[in-house]
Amino acid sequence: MKVVNQLTPSIDGKGLMMGRHGYTDDFADKNALIIKVMRSPHPYARIVSIDDAEAKKLPGVELILSYKDFERRPFTRAGQGYPEPSPHDKFVFDEYVRYIGDEVLCVAAVDEATANKALKYIKVEYEILTPILDFETAKQHSVIIHPEPEIHEMFPIGFKPLENVAASYHMHIGDVEKSISDSEVVIKESFYTQAQAHSMMEPHTVNSRFDYQNRLVLYSSTQTPFHVRRIISQALQFPLSRIRVIKPRVGGGFGGKQAIHGEIICSAVSIRTGKAAKLTYTRKEVYESSYTRHPMRLDITLAAMKDGTLKAIDCYVLSDTGAYGEHALTVFMVAGSKVLPLYNKVDSVRFYGDVVYTNHTPAGAFRGYGAIQGNYALESAVDILCQKLGMDPILFRQKNMIKEGETSPIFSIMGEGTEGTAMNMDTCKLDYCVKRGMELIHWNQKYPRTQTKKDIVEGLGMAIAMQGSGIPYIDMGAATIKLNDDGFYNLLVGATEIGQGSDTILAQIAAEALMTSVDKVIVYSSDSDLTPFDVGAYASSTTFVSGNAVLKAAETMKHQLIIESAKALGSEFKDIEFDGEIFNDSKHQKQISLKDLSNRLYYNHDQKQLMVTESYVGHKSPPPFMAGFADVSVDLLTGEVKVNHYVSVVDCGVTINPKLAQGQVEGAIIQGMGMTLYEDVIYTKTGKLITNDFMSYRIPTRMEIPSMTTEFAESYEESGPFGAKSVGEIGIDTPPAAISNAIYNACGVRITSLPITPEKILKGLKKLKEHSI
Amino acid sequence: MLVNLIVNGQPRSIEVAKGEFLLDTLRHLDYLSVRRGCDSSSCGVCTVLVNGKPTPSCSLLTVRLDQQEITTVEGIAKEAEKLATHFGHEGADQCGYCNPSMALTVYAMKKELKKPTLEQIKAYLVGNLCRCTGYQAQHIAILHYLEDQS
């Protein structure tokens, strides 16, 4: 291959480094009304009255909107296919506010100072209600967070709002109780994960205006422009045909921009005033009022025979969706569906639980999407089991883990809101990933621990992981390729570049298939008026789903080109050979260049525009796999952990762009490491999130990062474009368990709640000491 | 009040409000490479050079900068392009939102430190947060950029 799997710098890297315009706020109208949202100071309250008379008198205040200005029409902000597997439990504004930071009303004014001043002039009286701030007590609590009658599920997802349950699920294979009682060694443990915050560098932002055709045009920093268009239309009852959503360059998403944020309010302001408007979240709003990863409690039971044969996995999950149920069921499902098949040889599996409402910041999509929570619990539990078995955790995994050519019944049972899709692992190089990772981390020399200084111990730990490549039979991507005079192409895709490099890798796929270079493929992504449909950037779908659509489109274009060249040369289709530049009929010694053919098509003979569109929907979701290895130091005096080295060996099929794939893995490893060690989420007793800026919410800086070694297994997935699977999420899954296992191996302390802070380690060390006396 | 800034070598006289921050002033003047990541000078995204020194523009009052030299990435275009070439080779660019601010900080470091070590680079750039890359590829690219004599 000449372009795919070769070093190809990002097509946009230079322009972005040089500061060229491109992000949402760069397109805001200079005279746009500035929208500011008043946010609830109470975790749960009913709005008794709103007095905005004084604010309305302020010069420059254009509009104030509250629940009184909207029909009660529930929708979900979740950026998912339609009908959404998330409950319709949100109103544009509501009489009830359900978390500190929830939307009370908004002001649109000529400038920010006026909007902020107006907010201060508005008096809101609340009836303060008792909140639920502990998710373990939420189910069937006497307080009901969503008592309103209009809310509903779109199809059965176990939605029981009167019990504070946004979704629930139960599945089992085999007789779990019997498998457990028949087993020789059983362990049980509960794990807790926190409400990690995406912390992308560009805050949520949107701007809107009416264009000269009287259509509503939005620029939005979103991962799902087509879903955004649909949800605005539905929530505001504004015709879909009069909405255009443009996704310009996005400054990071990680799932945080999969759902709707300010788009509906901003649209409502433009619709009511006819004027341009803009809504940008402050960093505090990004933390308090967008959404987080779902915090979970995962109760795991593993049962095995003394020889290390795993017999049963029993997993109960309680997930906290906060005030609204975006992605409630689907994140929960992935905690099972993209984790449990790792150990496919068990006799029985049970996976069940509830997703409950609380009066905290809502939870939603976040890279890993349940898999990281499930992986932390299962891969920690496996090491706990191995400890009890007295078995090397790598030998245990090699014996029990899924291998190439095998399958798991989980695939057909567990989908995302619907049933799953049965599939065989046509590519699964986990075996290689584990072996290679052991070499790179020097497992045999260093496992389990080495004492480097008097108070410093080093330990190794590892975990294996899998993800998916889009949602089969649901996620659709389409691509249009247009030929231009002079013989270069436009590639129009709905696939959503959010910084992960999809514009570049999709250009590479097209260039490879058309036998040309990346600079001859001009990419334009995600504009609901101009590009074909794509569900957006989520579920690790872009390379696999959108990439397949691009490949199909490129092949169809090639076919069309050969037809046209045969016409131009007066040759038979079968006699033409095309090398990307020249159409050659060697039999009759005739040829024409692509450049000449293109110019002929547009200017001289048989004039016509060549433009093709192809679509792709996956019939399976081939999982990428990886083995992650952590080498950590624990300071026995302070409890501090330092990750010295992290090894990732990944099977994501063929890497379309090896360096960008490595960037996906390493960026995800550091996000996973942040969740494991640093990113503490602290609420006050009254429900206020106080880790709400970059000072109090500690994402990893350059100083904390380990050295990283990232390699890719040789692997070719037949169903993927040029053999590729996905790679966007898989990297985030292993750090919690691998680092946690390494800490245990270093100092004997097992931490079962994230993040693993020095305080928790010191407490654990103290306990160990007490036990040993 | 009227403030005279020197932006990328060009004198700019502008009327600003007393409480206006440099970030807003520059964006208002269409220096859109200067961006907001937070409002507490803790992420580094809004970094510009003030008299050659990397400074967060989100917390700097414009009125204090009369006759001061402000450099945005547009003012160091050639160096930014060179750095971008090395970022491209290492796959170090992802969302790009913070890249102009990083280019400015790297440029200032190059002037200030002679042959910095990896640890010195990390310490100099610690105020430039990145949530995408995991930093390692950036550091390799920056080391190559510093060695690049072209």
Side-chain angles (χ1 to χ4, degrees):
Chain A
M1 286 182 284
K2 286 189 176 151
V3 185
V4 160
N5 197 233
Q6 306 298 317
L7 175 68
T8 307
S10 298
I11 58 172
D12 33 44
K14 279 199 177 173
L16 294 174
M17 184 74 87
M18 294 170 80
R20 304 269 161 76
H21 304 182
Y23 297 86
T24 298
D25 194 53
D26 303 346
F27 298 100
D29 291 46
K30 284 225 161 166
N31 61 351
L33 295 170
I34 302 299
I35 303 170
K36 285 285 168 188
V37 177
M38 179 185 279
R39 300 200 173 270
S40 171
H42 307 294
Y44 194 21
R46 188 177 71 82
I47 297 168
V48 177
S49 67
I50 296 172
D51 177 2
D52 59 8
E54 289 300 310
K56 278 184 172 156
K57 284 185 207 157
L58 265 183
V61 171
E62 188 86 17
L63 183 71
I64 298 172
L65 292 173
S66 72
Y67 73 93
K68 293 174 183 168
D69 300 294
F70 293 91
E71 274 178 51
R72 281 182 72 75
R73 188 178 300 108
F75 61 93
T76 176
R77 293 176 298 184
Q80 297 176 301
Y82 187 82
E84 306 93 342
S86 293
H88 283 211
D89 59 4
K90 181 77 178 76
F91 302 88
V92 182
F93 291 106
D94 196 1
E95 189 181 351
Y96 288 83
V97 283
R98 296 183 178 81
Y99 68 99
I100 295 180
D102 204 352
E103 296 141 345
V104 177
L105 52 81
C106 75
V107 172
V110 289
D111 57 33
E112 192 172 343
T114 309
N116 279 329
K117 197 168 171 188
L119 285 183
K120 286 186 189 144
Y121 280 43
I122 300 171
K123 291 183 189 70
V124 179
E125 196 188 323
Y126 297 95
E127 177 196 344
I128 296 171
L129 304 169
T130 306
I132 302 175
L133 300 172
D134 173 3
F135 79 108
E136 294 184 84
T137 64
K139 190 179 176 182
Q140 293 169 348
H141 198 287
S142 58
V143 170
I144 299 170
I145 294 175
H146 281 282
E148 58 277 15
E150 305 92 333
I151 61 172
H152 58 269
E153 57 193 347
M154 300 299 281
F155 54 87
I157 57 167
F159 179 58
K160 289 171 276 186
L162 299 181
E163 296 180 20
N164 292 322
V165 172
S168 53
Y169 180 75
H170 181 110
M171 80 92 183
H172 70 275
I173 298 165
D175 185 339
V176 176
E177 309 286 351
K178 187 171 181 307
S179 297
I180 291 172
S181 64
D182 289 350
S183 294
E184 292 165 338
V185 182
V186 176
I187 65 112
K188 278 184 189 187
E189 193 58 72
S190 294
F191 298 88
Y192 289 84
T193 62
Q194 83 275 37
Q196 189 183 21
H198 307 79
S199 310
M200 69 298 274
M201 287 294 127
E202 181 199 32
H204 304 288
T205 181
V206 55
N207 51 72
S208 56
R209 80 281 297 139
F210 277 87
D211 70 3
Y212 65 92
Q213 293 182 5
N214 207 26
R215 291 173 76 243
L216 178 67
V217 179
L218 290 92
Y219 284 89
S220 175
S221 179
T222 180
Q223 297 175 220
T224 55
F226 289 91
H227 295 334
V228 165
R229 180 177 66 167
R230 187 190 80 237
I231 297 167
I232 291 171
S233 168
Q234 186 211 341
L236 298 177
Q237 295 288 292
F238 192 80
L240 199 64
S241 60
R242 288 185 63 204
I243 306 172
R244 175 181 182 188
V245 177
I246 302 168
K247 174 223 68 86
R249 187 73 187 180
V250 172
F254 318 118
K257 294 171 180 170
Q258 187 177 339
I260 283 260
H261 294 285
E263 289 94 339
I264 292 176
I265 291 174
C266 198
S267 301
V269 168
S270 278
I271 290 169
R272 302 218 179 190
T273 62
K275 294 183 180 175
K278 161 172 144 176
L279 173 50
T280 300
Y281 280 27
T282 62
R283 185 50 65 177
K284 187 165 168 257
E285 286 179 303
V286 174
Y287 279 108
E288 291 183 4
S289 304
S290 63
Y291 56 71
T292 70
R293 191 183 290 293
H294 287 81
M296 289 185 186
R297 187 187 92 214
L298 304 102
D299 300 337
I300 293 232
T301 303
L302 296 182
M305 304 309 281
K306 282 180 182 163
D307 68 355
T309 307
L310 186 64
K311 303 297 278 184
I313 305 173
D314 191 14
C315 187
Y316 167 79
V317 177
L318 185 67
S319 173
D320 175 1
T321 193
Y324 300 99
E326 289 98 3
H327 303 267
L329 176 73
T330 43
V331 169
F332 170 94
M333 294 296 281
V334 171
S337 64
K338 288 173 188 164
V339 178
L340 298 170
L342 283 170
Y343 298 100
N344 63 332
K345 297 169 189 65
V346 291
D347 291 345
S348 50
V349 191
R350 183 164 59 188
F351 183 85
Y352 63 112
D354 296 301
V355 190
V356 293
Y357 288 115
T358 62
N359 295 105
H360 277 156
T361 297
F366 193 153
R367 192 183 214 169
Y369 202 86
I372 182 172
Q373 292 100 317
N375 196 280
Y376 167 57
L378 181 62
E379 285 294 274
S380 296
V382 163
D383 264 40
I384 294 170
L385 176 66
C386 290
Q387 183 66 26
K388 200 164 177 186
L389 284 167
M391 187 169 180
D392 183 292
I394 288 192
L395 283 180
F396 178 90
R397 286 181 173 86
Q398 286 170 331
K399 185 179 167 81
N400 292 289
M401 72 192 184
I402 193 164
K403 301 202 170 62
E404 196 155 85
E406 296 178 354
T407 187
S408 159
I410 304 281
F411 292 124
S412 63
I413 296 171
M414 294 180 74
E416 293 198 17
T418 51
E419 281 185 1
T421 306
M423 57 184 165
N424 281 324
M425 297 302 96
D426 295 330
T427 47
C428 173
K429 308 294 179 192
L430 252 186
D431 240 348
Y432 168 82
C433 296
V434 170
K435 271 188 214 145
R436 181 65 185 148
M438 286 174 74
E439 288 167 20
L440 291 168
I441 202 88
H442 305 296
W443 186 270
N444 290 335
Q445 295 83 344
K446 293 175 88 173
Y447 174 80
R449 80 178 61 81
T450 42
Q451 182 112 19
T452 52
K453 286 182 195 155
K454 184 168 164 281
D455 299 311
I456 309 275
V457 275
E458 289 188 10
L460 297 190
M462 63 87 66
I464 55 174
M466 58 177 285
Q467 200 75 35
S469 298
I471 309 168
Y473 297 101
I474 292 178
D475 286 348
M476 189 275 260
T480 297
I481 297 179
K482 177 165 81 105
L483 176 73
N484 294 288
D485 49 342
D486 208 40
F488 70 101
Y489 307 94
N490 289 110
L491 172 61
L492 310 175
V493 285
T496 311
E497 166 74 74
I498 57 166
Q500 81 281 48
S502 65
D503 282 354
T504 300
I505 68 110
L506 295 176
Q508 284 178 266
I509 290 170
E512 184 72 44
L514 289 162
M515 297 168 289
T516 185
S517 51
V518 166
D519 61 320
K520 294 276 198 291
V521 181
I522 313 303
V523 185
Y524 182 69
S525 62
S526 304
D527 176 331
S528 65
D529 270 6
L530 301 183
T531 62
F533 185 87
D534 191 292
V535 287
Y538 60 87
S540 288
S541 59
T542 304
T543 302
F544 184 76
V545 176
S546 314
N548 264 320
V550 170
L551 178 58
K552 277 174 76 177
E555 279 167 354
T556 307
M557 174 53 83
K558 198 163 70 185
H559 187 81
Q560 296 265 329
L561 286 169
I562 295 174
I563 291 175
E564 294 305 323
S565 69
K567 261 195 230 165
L569 294 173
S571 302
E572 297 276 320
F573 180 91
K574 61 176 175 41
D575 293 333
I576 302 279
E577 281 173 15
F578 178 49
D579 67 0
E581 280 181 34
I582 306 288
F583 301 90
N584 193 15
D585 176 356
S586 52
K587 204 164 143 191
H588 304 96
Q589 295 196 327
K590 287 188 283 192
Q591 60 178 39
I592 185 171
S593 69
L594 174 63
K595 185 175 170 169
D596 290 344
L597 177 70
S598 309
N599 290 335
R600 185 178 190 273
L601 277 171
Y602 297 124
Y603 297 116
N604 307 125
H605 299 281
D606 305 326
Q607 283 94 329
K608 74 195 283 194
Q609 172 68 57
L610 286 199
M611 181 146 146
V612 301
T613 298
E614 293 287 357
S615 312
Y616 182 84
V617 61
H619 295 196
K620 63 180 213 170
S621 174
F625 292 93
M626 79 167 274
F629 292 78
D631 174 335
V632 308
S633 298
V634 182
D635 186 323
L636 299 173
L637 290 180
T638 64
E640 268 179 304
V641 174
K642 183 172 174 12
V643 182
N644 304 311
H645 190 194
Y646 206 96
V647 168
S648 310
V649 187
V650 183
D651 165 15
C652 60
V654 172
T655 52
I656 302 293
N657 186 316
K659 284 284 182 187
L660 290 182
Q662 186 179 342
Q664 283 303 298
V665 173
E666 291 182 355
I669 293 291
I670 297 305
Q671 281 180 1
M673 188 185 89
M675 176 165 166
T676 311
L677 294 175
Y678 307 117
E679 296 178 27
D680 213 352
V681 177
I682 303 169
Y683 279 97
T684 62
K685 278 181 187 160
T686 53
K688 178 159 178 52
L689 180 70
I690 53 172
T691 44
N692 58 11
D693 59 26
F694 283 125
M695 307 292 263
S696 52
Y697 186 83
R698 290 183 53 219
I699 65 169
T701 75
R702 296 167 201 279
M703 304 309 276
E704 288 90 31
I705 58 159
S707 70
M708 286 180 272
T709 304
T710 306
E711 286 191 0
F712 296 96
E714 253 186 62
S715 173
Y716 188 95
E717 171 60 42
E718 280 293 337
S719 63
F722 296 108
K725 299 191 277 188
S726 82
V727 71
E729 295 183 276
I730 180 80
I732 206 168
D733 294 336
T734 60
I739 293 171
S740 176
N741 290 339
I743 292 169
Y744 176 83
N745 291 334
C747 68
V749 174
R750 168 65 60 185
I751 306 296
T752 54
S753 69
L754 298 181
I756 304 175
T757 56
E759 291 84 353
K760 289 180 189 171
I761 291 182
L762 279 185
K763 263 192 197 167
L765 287 168
K766 200 173 157 213
K767 227 182 189 177
L768 278 183
K769 233 182 205 172
E770 283 164 5
H771 280 282
S772 64
I773 291 169
Chain B
M1 42 196 308
L2 190 74
V3 179
N4 297 298
L5 302 176
I6 302 157
V7 186
N8 301 328
Q10 298 291 317
R12 303 288 304 247
S13 293
I14 42 153
E15 200 62 45
V16 296
K18 275 184 188 167
E20 187 171 312
F21 291 110
L22 180 62
L23 167 60
D24 299 309
T25 306
L26 290 172
R27 284 195 69 81
H28 185 72
L29 290 172
D30 274 336
Y31 294 99
L32 298 180
S33 66
V34 188
R35 304 181 184 124
R36 183 184 290 286
C38 70
D39 32 39
S40 54
S41 53
S42 47
C43 72
V45 167
C46 66
T47 301
V48 296
L49 304 184
V50 178
N51 301 323
K53 199 169 176 289
T55 311
S57 63
C58 76
S59 323
L60 204 57
L61 291 172
T62 309
V63 291
R64 292 184 55 203
L65 297 165
D66 199 48
Q67 301 299 341
Q68 308 298 301
E69 298 226 13
I70 314 293
T71 309
T72 70
V73 80
E74 291 90 341
I76 59 158
K78 274 196 175 158
E79 290 298 312
E81 189 174 4
K82 200 157 121 182
L83 181 63
T85 304
H86 293 288
F87 266 55
H89 278 117
E90 294 305 322
D93 34 32
Q94 288 194 31
C95 86
Y97 194 68
C98 62
N99 283 13
S101 59
M102 189 145 29
L104 287 162
T105 314
V106 170
Y107 175 76
M109 177 181 71
K110 190 179 169 185
K111 296 209 140 185
E112 196 176 322
L113 304 179
K114 208 177 170 190
K115 289 198 177 169
T117 61
L118 178 61
E119 289 312 307
Q120 283 176 308
I121 291 172
K122 285 186 188 178
Y124 200 97
L125 291 169
V126 69
N128 290 79
L129 294 178
C130 168
R131 187 59 154 171
C132 292
T133 61
Y135 303 110
Q136 183 167 278
Q138 290 183 353
H139 296 154
I140 297 169
I142 291 166
L143 283 166
H144 288 160
Y145 162 75
L146 293 173
E147 287 162 7
D148 186 347
Q149 301 295 327
S150 66

